[in-house]
Amino acid sequence: MKKKGLPQGFDFIGKEFPQFDRKKKTKKKLYRYDASNPKRTNVLLFGDVFNKKVIYKYIDRRNFISYITGDGRFSICFQQPSNWTDKYEARFYKADYSKLFSTVDFVKNKQMSLYACCFASSMESEPSWKMYVNESNDDDRKVCVQIKINFKALLDYLNYYIVTELGGDYMLVVGRVDYMEKYSINKLHRPDDKGKLNSHFFKHFNFTKYLRLLLIKRMAFKYEDEIRMFLVPKKNVKIEDKKIIQIPIFECRDSNVPVSKKWGRVVDTIFLDPKAKQEEVKEYFDKLKSAKLDIEIEKIEVSNLYDSYSHIIIGEDKDIELARKEAEAEEEVKKIMEEQKKKLRKSIKASI
């Protein structure tokens, strides 16, 4: 298979990359993702995320609404790792690499600045529902939403955005986070350590290994099963603290609508937190509509994280259990509708 080089200006990453070998399932190297596809000209993946279908983004409920623009898009933020809330995460981004000056051109030329955005692979992550909440808001229940994202549709859109809005000055590099014990991370940079970690990451140091350092996270956060996306700039492209990218949510087939608004398969579903009640779906839908987000109410659901904790009957047949739960769900819907009717009747009486 013929190797294809990267777009001009990214030679510090590497001039050529092999295609991903599905049979060998090679990992930990950068692979050009479908290089012949014009939708992915500026996208590189580590092999172990090659076949991802969906990823998840947790955003504070109130912040999500504030991220919606007037033309029905929401925004995701790529920022320099030095600005991450958890400063420990930026340890290798802010490190002094001066001892490598003599051997590594991209270090010598200070081509190490980039943007990053984090996503989760795991749908059922209870701690994540609690972590990504803006504690400064005054809601009775501080909660966030989980956005289920079509991985390849997002890649297509980000590639489109890079080429058309950013002038092709960036590569999108995507990889899965490696989780290590904190004591191992703390000594990783020391060449005199008897372990092999330092040699593994720093021998023949290159940009691929630099990105791998930025994909290291403490074992305590393994529940996130995190995917990281990096926006890597060309040589001499100056970057700021962060870059906001607006994402259109639903696909538009109208030929009169600009191409930039036809990438709508990115968001699959918006999940409310697992403690939310069904009536909150309609309430949140109304808030999104008032924020100008063109979304179908069917695309908003309550997370089923706690479904496995529902009432069980020991020894019950699977089909009977399913039928019982469906009947219970229908009964719950009836109760909600009846409560809504009562509220409506009360409001009508109050207005008379």
Side-chain angles (χ1 to χ4, degrees), residues 10 12-13 42-44 76-81 93 111-117 158-159 161-163 166 168-174 207 211 214 228-234 237 239-240 242-245:
F10 296 99
F12 63 95
I13 297 180
N42 285 60
V43 176
L44 287 171
I76 58 174
C77 178
F78 282 80
Q79 58 183 331
Q80 290 198 51
Y93 188 70
Q111 295 166 320
M112 305 181 76
S113 297
L114 45 75
Y115 299 111
C117 188
L158 291 177
N159 186 87
Y161 191 93
I162 289 170
V163 173
L166 303 180
D169 287 342
Y170 294 83
M171 290 297 299
L172 180 73
V173 185
V174 187
F207 198 79
L211 289 180
L214 301 184
R228 266 179 199 170
M229 295 189 176
F230 299 104
L231 274 179
V232 181
K234 276 184 180 179
V237 173
I239 69 172
E240 301 173 348
K242 59 186 177 181
K243 186 167 289 295
I244 306 296
I245 297 181

Side-chain angles (χ1 to χ4, degrees), residues 16 61 82 96 128 154 183 188 238 242 281 314 321:
E16 294 183 334
R61 268 201 207 183
S82 54
D96 181 351
S128 295
L154 179 60
Y183 69 85
L188 183 60
K238 294 182 179 180
K242 59 186 177 181
V281 170
I314 306 302
E321 180 183 20

Side-chain angles (χ1 to χ4, degrees), residues 76-94:
I76 58 174
C77 178
F78 282 80
Q79 58 183 331
Q80 290 198 51
S82 54
N83 294 321
W84 284 340
T85 303
D86 185 350
K87 299 304 179 183
Y88 190 88
E89 292 292 295
R91 113 185 239 103
F92 292 109
Y93 188 70
K94 298 191 297 183

